[in-house]
Amino acid sequence: MAKKVLNVEDDIDTRTFVSAVIERNGYTPILAKDGEEGMKKIAEEKPDLIILDILMPKQSGIKMYHELKLDPSLKDIPVIMLSAVSKRTFLRSQEALTEFGDETVPEPQAYLEKPVEPEDLAEILKKVLG
Amino acid sequence: MKITKILFVSEFEELWLDALQSLMGLRKAGLNHVVFLHVIHRDKVAMRRGTGYLKQEERKLREIADIRFIDWAETLFEEGMEVGAHIAVGNTVPKVLSVAEDEGVDLIVTARRKRSKLEELYSGSETSELLRRTVRPVLIYNYISQSGKVGENPFERLLLGLDWSESSEKVLDFVLALKGTVKRVDLMHVLSEKAIGKLSKLEVQKVEREHKRRLDEVCDVLTKERIDARPHLYIGNTEEQIEKGASEHRVTMIVVGMKSKGIWKERWSGSVSYALAERSDLPILVIPAGV
């Protein structure tokens, strides 16, 4: 059975593009349009990998990532960040959340800044999922 | 009543990141989530003869908004805030209302919005329409006023216009929820000349004493919460006197309640909250009665 990749992304064009890359590489795409829906899909579908945008309505990828990594049942799901927000900001935001009392969380499996080339995304998918 | 999540509506002409950052004093009152909204007016991308719907233009405008929001979001994310963004095409007021509802925000922050004279005659300004239709507090944030920029924290010195109605109670509740952010509150009740015109001197003094007593009671409530509060009783046209009081006491924001009136009554008879929202140079926070 093909491995499942959850793509959490609010922009429909990027969602379509990422979904096509996932499918073309033999995996099953699952789509969510914001962090809130993403968390629901994780509970329902138990994906093998999550590709996560940052700036989205309802719940950002920053908060979602933090929640995932603090949840013992979800923290081992690998996450690839795919966003126009810089990696520096992402790392600083995770530090800032830690300052507010949360535990430190590990860095994501990969951090890709938009726009991403399909070959680069495919390579990372293979590296993480095998 | 808490303010943990705000909707910041920007057309990139009036409210920028510095305006948003001046609201960060609200973090002391629990603010931890900012939602950005930019509405691309339908007429900017509407069908044109020979070209059809301007899809390319819409894409460009979305991209511009996206780049700006990412820059603003990066600043807030690094401070540990939660940030969301919406970019939509359509009419501003319905989009503001639907995003506010979807996101469950506690406060809508927007600049004053005008329409053409003709449109305003029939449907009022966008500001009035928003105030008429929303059930959430709205901050009409005139960040760059004629007298220059508003101070670092617009919530620092508030003028509360109280008329002892249900909406006045809501105003007080809201201000109490801002504990930690607000340093001083000037409480104001305005007596109308008409109401006291036919009374004897003794009766006027009685009315005056009664309102002062009520103002003192509210002062005590605020003082208990360690907010410095001063009572003021003015006489005259409510809207004019509130503006006068705001200037005399150098407040940074005016807070008023809003009673629900019928749409036509509201438009033709006017109301203090609408008039201040349309005219005042200072930021105006309007709290609906049903909040």
Side-chain angles (χ1 to χ4, degrees):
Chain A
M1 204 172 124
K3 288 185 174 170
K4 292 191 264 189
V5 180
L6 171 65
N7 177 26
V8 189
E9 166 70 61
D10 65 324
D11 179 58
I12 191 164
D13 294 341
T14 313
R15 219 159 51 218
T16 310
F17 161 75
V18 173
S19 173
V21 175
I22 294 168
E23 220 162 359
R24 210 176 305 143
N25 285 275
Y27 308 112
T28 307
I30 304 159
L31 307 177
K33 61 181 183 306
D34 57 57
E36 220 172 82
E37 195 184 343
M39 290 304 277
K40 276 186 202 155
K41 289 276 168 82
I42 292 170
E44 287 164 15
E45 304 277 352
K46 307 268 183 289
D48 299 285
L49 171 71
I50 299 163
I51 300 177
L52 187 54
D53 183 23
I54 288 184
L55 192 56
M56 298 180 287
K58 292 191 177 169
Q59 189 185 40
S60 72
I62 284 180
K63 195 172 176 201
M64 185 178 164
Y65 180 81
H66 209 79
E67 276 184 24
L68 278 172
K69 294 299 162 188
L70 291 180
D71 186 328
S73 63
L74 306 173
K75 68 178 170 60
D76 294 326
I77 304 174
V79 178
I80 297 172
M81 301 302 299
L82 174 59
S83 175
V85 172
S86 71
K87 184 178 180 184
R88 180 178 148 277
T89 296
F90 174 77
L91 295 176
R92 283 194 178 187
S93 69
Q94 296 301 319
E95 278 172 25
L97 289 175
T98 310
E99 280 168 25
F100 282 101
D102 288 349
E103 289 169 44
T104 313
V105 296
E107 283 193 26
Q109 234 69 22
Y111 198 102
L112 299 171
E113 285 187 25
K114 287 177 183 171
V116 67
E117 294 299 327
E119 309 82 54
D120 294 342
L121 181 57
E123 196 185 314
I124 291 188
L125 283 173
K126 275 180 198 147
K127 204 169 136 188
V128 178
L129 290 172
Chain B
M1 204 186 290
K2 270 200 131 192
I3 308 170
T4 57
K5 195 172 185 179
I6 63 171
L7 176 63
F8 189 77
V9 186
S10 178
E11 305 223 330
F12 307 123
E13 282 166 10
E14 6 56 6
L15 292 184
W16 288 80
L17 183 63
D18 51 352
L20 177 61
Q21 279 179 318
S22 73
L23 301 175
M24 286 301 115
L26 287 174
R27 291 187 76 174
K28 287 182 191 159
L31 177 69
N32 58 25
H33 194 157
V34 176
V35 180
F36 299 132
L37 170 64
H38 175 69
V39 182
I40 299 164
H41 281 262
R42 201 177 288 282
D43 55 2
K44 283 189 183 164
V45 292
M47 299 275 265
R48 302 273 197 283
R49 187 181 288 173
T51 57
Y53 183 73
L54 305 177
K55 188 72 191 162
Q56 198 54 38
E57 181 68 8
E58 182 194 328
R59 192 163 290 171
K60 185 189 86 185
L61 293 171
R62 277 184 183 274
E63 212 46 56
I64 291 170
D66 202 38
I67 289 168
R68 284 178 178 157
F69 280 164
I70 285 167
D71 183 56
W72 295 3
E74 285 189 333
T75 306
L76 297 182
F77 276 137
E78 290 189 18
E79 290 170 11
M81 296 281 290
E82 169 69 336
V83 188
H86 294 257
I87 300 164
V89 177
N91 296 321
T92 307
V93 176
K95 292 289 176 195
V96 170
L97 294 169
S98 73
V99 172
E101 182 64 28
D102 272 5
E103 293 273 0
V105 299
D106 305 305
L107 173 69
I108 298 168
V109 181
T110 179
R112 187 183 297 136
R113 294 174 192 285
K114 294 271 180 193
R115 287 176 167 142
S116 70
K117 291 274 177 220
L118 191 65
E119 279 178 313
E120 289 202 2
L121 181 67
Y122 287 98
S123 53
S125 71
E126 283 191 348
T127 303
S128 305
E129 189 188 342
L130 177 63
L131 293 178
R132 196 167 55 240
R133 293 175 62 184
T134 187
V135 290
R136 294 164 203 280
V138 179
L139 171 59
I140 310 295
Y141 199 20
N142 309 314
Y143 184 64
I144 300 172
S145 69
Q146 285 173 345
S147 53
K149 278 190 180 181
V150 170
E152 288 291 295
N153 174 15
F155 285 90
E156 201 172 326
R157 290 176 69 119
L158 307 180
L159 183 137
L160 267 59
L162 302 175
D163 63 0
W164 316 124
S165 64
E166 192 194 340
S167 61
S168 287
E169 284 173 32
K170 299 288 178 189
V171 166
L172 186 61
D173 287 348
F174 197 86
V175 171
L176 287 169
L178 296 173
K179 198 167 66 172
T181 307
V182 179
K183 285 192 180 155
R184 175 171 157 156
V185 173
D186 286 278
L187 300 161
M188 190 172 190
H189 178 75
V190 183
L191 288 170
S192 79
E193 284 177 33
K194 208 174 156 187
I196 59 165
K198 288 175 185 167
L199 302 179
S200 68
K201 191 173 178 180
L202 189 70
E203 285 168 324
V204 171
Q205 283 173 342
K206 273 187 187 170
V207 170
E208 196 184 326
R209 193 175 60 201
E210 173 58 14
H211 287 294
K212 280 189 171 169
R213 185 190 60 76
R214 298 181 82 168
L215 283 167
D216 283 339
E217 275 178 10
V218 182
C219 274
D220 290 344
V221 173
L222 290 162
T223 309
K224 264 187 198 159
E225 299 297 329
R226 296 182 179 179
I227 298 172
D228 181 16
R230 313 281 164 93
H232 307 285
L233 189 63
Y234 279 51
I235 298 175
N237 172 285
T238 310
E239 169 202 329
E240 282 172 16
Q241 294 304 311
I242 286 180
E243 286 216 88
K244 198 173 180 181
S247 159
E248 279 177 353
H249 302 293
R250 297 170 170 268
V251 303
T252 51
M253 184 186 293
I254 297 170
V255 189
V256 284
M258 189 172 56
K259 294 179 210 166
S260 48
K261 285 182 179 180
I263 175 170
W264 290 106
K265 195 174 173 191
E266 194 65 77
R267 191 166 305 150
W268 299 114
S269 70
S271 86
V272 175
S273 47
Y274 283 48
L276 287 168
E278 295 286 5
R279 269 193 13 191
S280 180
D281 265 353
L282 282 168
I284 309 290
L285 178 59
V286 182
I287 318 281
V291 70

Short mmCIF file of all heavy atoms in Angstrom, two decimals, chain B residues 60-101:
data_model
loop_
_atom_site.label_atom_id
_atom_site.label_comp_id
_atom_site.label_asym_id
_atom_site.label_seq_id
_atom_site.Cartn_x
_atom_site.Cartn_y
_atom_site.Cartn_z
N LYS B 60 -1.81 39.04 -9.51
CA LYS B 60 -0.77 40.01 -9.13
C LYS B 60 -1.10 40.65 -7.76
O LYS B 60 -0.24 40.72 -6.89
CB LYS B 60 -0.67 41.11 -10.20
CG LYS B 60 0.46 42.09 -9.96
CD LYS B 60 0.40 43.28 -10.89
CE LYS B 60 -0.51 44.34 -10.30
NZ LYS B 60 -0.75 45.49 -11.16
N LEU B 61 -2.37 41.06 -7.60
CA LEU B 61 -2.76 41.72 -6.34
C LEU B 61 -2.67 40.75 -5.16
O LEU B 61 -2.28 41.13 -4.05
CB LEU B 61 -4.17 42.30 -6.46
CG LEU B 61 -4.31 43.46 -7.45
CD1 LEU B 61 -5.78 43.83 -7.66
CD2 LEU B 61 -3.52 44.68 -6.98
N ARG B 62 -3.01 39.49 -5.41
CA ARG B 62 -2.90 38.49 -4.34
C ARG B 62 -1.44 38.30 -3.94
O ARG B 62 -1.10 38.18 -2.77
CB ARG B 62 -3.46 37.14 -4.82
CG ARG B 62 -4.96 37.03 -4.70
CD ARG B 62 -5.42 35.63 -5.10
NE ARG B 62 -6.86 35.53 -5.05
CZ ARG B 62 -7.56 35.23 -3.95
NH1 ARG B 62 -6.94 34.97 -2.83
NH2 ARG B 62 -8.87 35.17 -3.98
N GLU B 63 -0.58 38.27 -4.97
CA GLU B 63 0.85 38.07 -4.73
C GLU B 63 1.43 39.22 -3.90
O GLU B 63 2.18 39.01 -2.95
CB GLU B 63 1.56 37.96 -6.09
CG GLU B 63 2.77 37.05 -6.10
CD GLU B 63 2.55 35.71 -5.43
OE1 GLU B 63 1.61 34.96 -5.80
OE2 GLU B 63 3.30 35.43 -4.49
N ILE B 64 1.02 40.45 -4.25
CA ILE B 64 1.50 41.63 -3.52
C ILE B 64 1.07 41.54 -2.05
O ILE B 64 1.88 41.74 -1.13
CB ILE B 64 0.94 42.93 -4.16
CG1 ILE B 64 1.58 43.15 -5.53
CG2 ILE B 64 1.17 44.14 -3.25
CD1 ILE B 64 0.94 44.27 -6.35
N ALA B 65 -0.20 41.20 -1.84
CA ALA B 65 -0.72 41.09 -0.47
C ALA B 65 0.01 39.98 0.29
O ALA B 65 0.37 40.15 1.47
CB ALA B 65 -2.22 40.83 -0.49
N ASP B 66 0.26 38.88 -0.39
CA ASP B 66 0.91 37.74 0.22
C ASP B 66 2.32 38.11 0.69
O ASP B 66 2.72 37.79 1.82
CB ASP B 66 0.97 36.59 -0.80
CG ASP B 66 1.13 35.26 -0.12
OD1 ASP B 66 0.52 35.07 0.94
OD2 ASP B 66 1.88 34.42 -0.64
N ILE B 67 3.05 38.80 -0.17
CA ILE B 67 4.42 39.19 0.18
C ILE B 67 4.41 40.09 1.42
O ILE B 67 5.20 39.93 2.34
CB ILE B 67 5.11 39.89 -1.03
CG1 ILE B 67 5.40 38.85 -2.11
CG2 ILE B 67 6.39 40.62 -0.61
CD1 ILE B 67 5.81 39.42 -3.45
N ARG B 68 3.47 41.05 1.44
CA ARG B 68 3.40 41.96 2.60
C ARG B 68 3.03 41.20 3.87
O ARG B 68 3.63 41.41 4.92
CB ARG B 68 2.39 43.07 2.33
CG ARG B 68 3.00 44.08 1.39
CD ARG B 68 2.06 45.18 1.03
NE ARG B 68 2.75 46.12 0.17
CZ ARG B 68 2.14 46.94 -0.67
NH1 ARG B 68 0.83 46.93 -0.78
NH2 ARG B 68 2.84 47.76 -1.41
N PHE B 69 2.04 40.34 3.76
CA PHE B 69 1.61 39.61 4.95
C PHE B 69 2.71 38.69 5.48
O PHE B 69 2.85 38.53 6.70
CB PHE B 69 0.34 38.79 4.65
CG PHE B 69 -0.93 39.61 4.67
CD1 PHE B 69 -2.10 39.12 4.11
CD2 PHE B 69 -0.96 40.86 5.26
CE1 PHE B 69 -3.28 39.86 4.13
CE2 PHE B 69 -2.13 41.62 5.30
CZ PHE B 69 -3.29 41.11 4.73
N ILE B 70 3.47 38.09 4.58
CA ILE B 70 4.55 37.21 5.04
C ILE B 70 5.58 38.03 5.83
O ILE B 70 6.04 37.62 6.89
CB ILE B 70 5.19 36.45 3.86
CG1 ILE B 70 4.24 35.34 3.42
CG2 ILE B 70 6.56 35.85 4.24
CD1 ILE B 70 4.56 34.69 2.11
N ASP B 71 5.87 39.22 5.31
CA ASP B 71 6.84 40.08 6.02
C ASP B 71 6.31 40.44 7.41
O ASP B 71 7.04 40.35 8.40
CB ASP B 71 7.08 41.33 5.18
CG ASP B 71 8.13 42.22 5.82
OD1 ASP B 71 9.24 41.73 6.06
OD2 ASP B 71 7.83 43.39 6.10
N TRP B 72 5.05 40.83 7.49
CA TRP B 72 4.47 41.19 8.79
C TRP B 72 4.41 39.97 9.71
O TRP B 72 4.71 40.06 10.90
CB TRP B 72 3.04 41.72 8.61
CG TRP B 72 2.93 42.98 7.84
CD1 TRP B 72 3.94 43.67 7.24
CD2 TRP B 72 1.73 43.72 7.57
NE1 TRP B 72 3.43 44.78 6.62
CE2 TRP B 72 2.09 44.84 6.80
CE3 TRP B 72 0.40 43.53 7.90
CZ2 TRP B 72 1.16 45.78 6.35
CZ3 TRP B 72 -0.53 44.47 7.47
CH2 TRP B 72 -0.16 45.58 6.70
N ALA B 73 4.02 38.84 9.12
CA ALA B 73 3.87 37.62 9.92
C ALA B 73 5.21 37.20 10.51
O ALA B 73 5.28 36.77 11.67
CB ALA B 73 3.29 36.50 9.07
N GLU B 74 6.28 37.35 9.72
CA GLU B 74 7.60 36.95 10.22
C GLU B 74 7.94 37.71 11.50
O GLU B 74 8.43 37.13 12.46
CB GLU B 74 8.66 37.17 9.14
CG GLU B 74 8.57 36.10 8.05
CD GLU B 74 9.72 36.12 7.06
OE1 GLU B 74 10.32 37.19 6.85
OE2 GLU B 74 10.01 35.06 6.48
N THR B 75 7.63 39.01 11.49
CA THR B 75 7.92 39.83 12.68
C THR B 75 7.14 39.30 13.89
O THR B 75 7.69 39.16 14.98
CB THR B 75 7.50 41.30 12.41
OG1 THR B 75 8.15 41.72 11.22
CG2 THR B 75 7.87 42.22 13.55
N LEU B 76 5.87 39.01 13.68
CA LEU B 76 5.04 38.56 14.81
C LEU B 76 5.38 37.13 15.25
O LEU B 76 5.39 36.83 16.44
CB LEU B 76 3.55 38.67 14.45
CG LEU B 76 3.03 40.07 14.18
CD1 LEU B 76 1.54 40.03 13.87
CD2 LEU B 76 3.27 40.99 15.35
N PHE B 77 5.64 36.26 14.28
CA PHE B 77 6.00 34.88 14.63
C PHE B 77 7.24 34.87 15.54
O PHE B 77 7.31 34.11 16.50
CB PHE B 77 6.31 34.06 13.37
CG PHE B 77 5.09 33.49 12.69
CD1 PHE B 77 4.97 33.54 11.30
CD2 PHE B 77 4.08 32.85 13.40
CE1 PHE B 77 3.87 33.00 10.65
CE2 PHE B 77 2.97 32.31 12.75
CZ PHE B 77 2.87 32.38 11.38
N GLU B 78 8.20 35.71 15.19
CA GLU B 78 9.44 35.73 15.97
C GLU B 78 9.21 36.22 17.39
O GLU B 78 10.02 35.98 18.27
CB GLU B 78 10.51 36.58 15.26
CG GLU B 78 10.99 35.91 13.99
CD GLU B 78 12.20 36.58 13.36
OE1 GLU B 78 12.87 37.36 14.04
OE2 GLU B 78 12.45 36.32 12.17
N GLU B 79 8.09 36.92 17.60
CA GLU B 79 7.76 37.38 18.96
C GLU B 79 6.88 36.35 19.69
O GLU B 79 6.34 36.63 20.75
CB GLU B 79 7.04 38.73 18.89
CG GLU B 79 7.96 39.85 18.45
CD GLU B 79 7.21 41.14 18.14
OE1 GLU B 79 6.01 41.24 18.43
OE2 GLU B 79 7.85 42.04 17.57
N GLY B 80 6.68 35.21 19.06
CA GLY B 80 5.90 34.14 19.69
C GLY B 80 4.40 34.26 19.49
O GLY B 80 3.63 33.60 20.18
N MET B 81 3.99 35.13 18.55
CA MET B 81 2.55 35.28 18.29
C MET B 81 2.09 34.24 17.27
O MET B 81 2.87 33.78 16.44
CB MET B 81 2.26 36.66 17.68
CG MET B 81 2.56 37.82 18.57
SD MET B 81 1.29 38.08 19.80
CE MET B 81 -0.05 38.68 18.81
N GLU B 82 0.81 33.94 17.30
CA GLU B 82 0.19 33.10 16.28
C GLU B 82 -0.39 34.05 15.22
O GLU B 82 -0.97 35.09 15.57
CB GLU B 82 -0.90 32.24 16.94
CG GLU B 82 -1.83 31.50 16.00
CD GLU B 82 -1.16 30.36 15.24
OE1 GLU B 82 0.06 30.38 15.08
OE2 GLU B 82 -1.89 29.47 14.79
N VAL B 83 -0.19 33.70 13.95
CA VAL B 83 -0.63 34.59 12.87
C VAL B 83 -1.36 33.80 11.79
O VAL B 83 -0.96 32.68 11.46
CB VAL B 83 0.58 35.30 12.21
CG1 VAL B 83 0.12 36.36 11.22
CG2 VAL B 83 1.50 35.93 13.23
N GLY B 84 -2.42 34.39 11.27
CA GLY B 84 -3.13 33.80 10.14
C GLY B 84 -3.36 34.86 9.09
O GLY B 84 -3.23 36.06 9.39
N ALA B 85 -3.68 34.47 7.87
CA ALA B 85 -3.89 35.47 6.82
C ALA B 85 -4.99 35.03 5.86
O ALA B 85 -5.13 33.85 5.56
CB ALA B 85 -2.61 35.71 6.07
N HIS B 86 -5.76 36.01 5.42
CA HIS B 86 -6.79 35.78 4.41
C HIS B 86 -6.64 36.85 3.34
O HIS B 86 -6.53 38.03 3.67
CB HIS B 86 -8.19 35.91 4.99
CG HIS B 86 -8.53 34.86 6.00
ND1 HIS B 86 -9.34 33.78 5.71
CD2 HIS B 86 -8.18 34.72 7.30
CE1 HIS B 86 -9.47 33.03 6.80
NE2 HIS B 86 -8.78 33.58 7.77
N ILE B 87 -6.69 36.45 2.09
CA ILE B 87 -6.73 37.40 0.98
C ILE B 87 -7.96 37.02 0.17
O ILE B 87 -8.09 35.87 -0.24
CB ILE B 87 -5.44 37.31 0.13
CG1 ILE B 87 -4.21 37.61 0.99
CG2 ILE B 87 -5.52 38.28 -1.05
CD1 ILE B 87 -2.89 37.19 0.38
N ALA B 88 -8.85 37.97 -0.02
CA ALA B 88 -10.11 37.63 -0.68
C ALA B 88 -10.47 38.69 -1.72
O ALA B 88 -10.02 39.83 -1.64
CB ALA B 88 -11.22 37.54 0.36
N VAL B 89 -11.30 38.29 -2.68
CA VAL B 89 -11.81 39.24 -3.67
C VAL B 89 -13.29 39.45 -3.36
O VAL B 89 -14.02 38.50 -3.12
CB VAL B 89 -11.66 38.67 -5.10
CG1 VAL B 89 -12.26 39.64 -6.13
CG2 VAL B 89 -10.20 38.41 -5.43
N GLY B 90 -13.73 40.70 -3.35
CA GLY B 90 -15.15 40.95 -3.10
C GLY B 90 -15.38 42.31 -2.48
O GLY B 90 -14.57 43.22 -2.65
N ASN B 91 -16.46 42.41 -1.72
CA ASN B 91 -16.77 43.66 -1.03
C ASN B 91 -16.25 43.56 0.41
O ASN B 91 -16.40 42.52 1.06
CB ASN B 91 -18.28 43.91 -1.02
CG ASN B 91 -18.79 44.10 -2.43
OD1 ASN B 91 -18.14 44.73 -3.26
ND2 ASN B 91 -19.93 43.51 -2.73
N THR B 92 -15.67 44.65 0.87
CA THR B 92 -14.95 44.60 2.15
C THR B 92 -15.82 44.14 3.32
O THR B 92 -15.46 43.19 4.02
CB THR B 92 -14.35 45.99 2.48
OG1 THR B 92 -13.59 46.39 1.34
CG2 THR B 92 -13.45 45.93 3.69
N VAL B 93 -16.96 44.80 3.52
CA VAL B 93 -17.73 44.53 4.75
C VAL B 93 -18.17 43.05 4.85
O VAL B 93 -17.92 42.42 5.89
CB VAL B 93 -18.91 45.50 4.89
CG1 VAL B 93 -19.76 45.15 6.10
CG2 VAL B 93 -18.39 46.94 5.02
N PRO B 94 -18.79 42.48 3.82
CA PRO B 94 -19.17 41.06 3.96
C PRO B 94 -17.98 40.14 4.21
O PRO B 94 -18.08 39.19 4.98
CB PRO B 94 -19.82 40.73 2.61
CG PRO B 94 -20.20 42.03 2.01
CD PRO B 94 -19.24 43.04 2.54
N LYS B 95 -16.84 40.46 3.60
CA LYS B 95 -15.64 39.62 3.82
C LYS B 95 -15.14 39.76 5.25
O LYS B 95 -14.76 38.77 5.88
CB LYS B 95 -14.52 39.99 2.83
CG LYS B 95 -14.82 39.66 1.39
CD LYS B 95 -14.80 38.16 1.13
CE LYS B 95 -15.21 37.87 -0.31
NZ LYS B 95 -15.54 36.46 -0.54
N VAL B 96 -15.13 40.98 5.74
CA VAL B 96 -14.68 41.20 7.13
C VAL B 96 -15.57 40.41 8.08
O VAL B 96 -15.10 39.71 8.98
CB VAL B 96 -14.71 42.71 7.50
CG1 VAL B 96 -14.49 42.92 9.00
CG2 VAL B 96 -13.66 43.48 6.70
N LEU B 97 -16.89 40.50 7.84
CA LEU B 97 -17.83 39.80 8.72
C LEU B 97 -17.65 38.29 8.67
O LEU B 97 -17.66 37.62 9.69
CB LEU B 97 -19.28 40.17 8.35
CG LEU B 97 -19.66 41.64 8.58
CD1 LEU B 97 -21.00 41.96 7.94
CD2 LEU B 97 -19.70 41.96 10.07
N SER B 98 -17.45 37.76 7.45
CA SER B 98 -17.35 36.30 7.36
C SER B 98 -16.02 35.79 7.93
O SER B 98 -16.01 34.76 8.61
CB SER B 98 -17.58 35.80 5.93
OG SER B 98 -16.49 36.09 5.13
N VAL B 99 -14.93 36.50 7.70
CA VAL B 99 -13.65 36.05 8.27
C VAL B 99 -13.68 36.19 9.80
O VAL B 99 -13.21 35.30 10.52
CB VAL B 99 -12.45 36.83 7.66
CG1 VAL B 99 -11.16 36.52 8.40
CG2 VAL B 99 -12.30 36.50 6.18
N ALA B 100 -14.27 37.28 10.29
CA ALA B 100 -14.37 37.48 11.76
C ALA B 100 -15.15 36.32 12.38
O ALA B 100 -14.79 35.81 13.44
CB ALA B 100 -15.05 38.80 12.06
N GLU B 101 -16.19 35.88 11.70
CA GLU B 101 -17.02 34.78 12.20
C GLU B 101 -16.24 33.45 12.13
O GLU B 101 -16.19 32.71 13.11
CB GLU B 101 -18.30 34.71 11.34
CG GLU B 101 -19.29 33.64 11.74
CD GLU B 101 -19.88 33.86 13.12
OE1 GLU B 101 -19.95 35.02 13.55
OE2 GLU B 101 -20.23 32.86 13.76
#
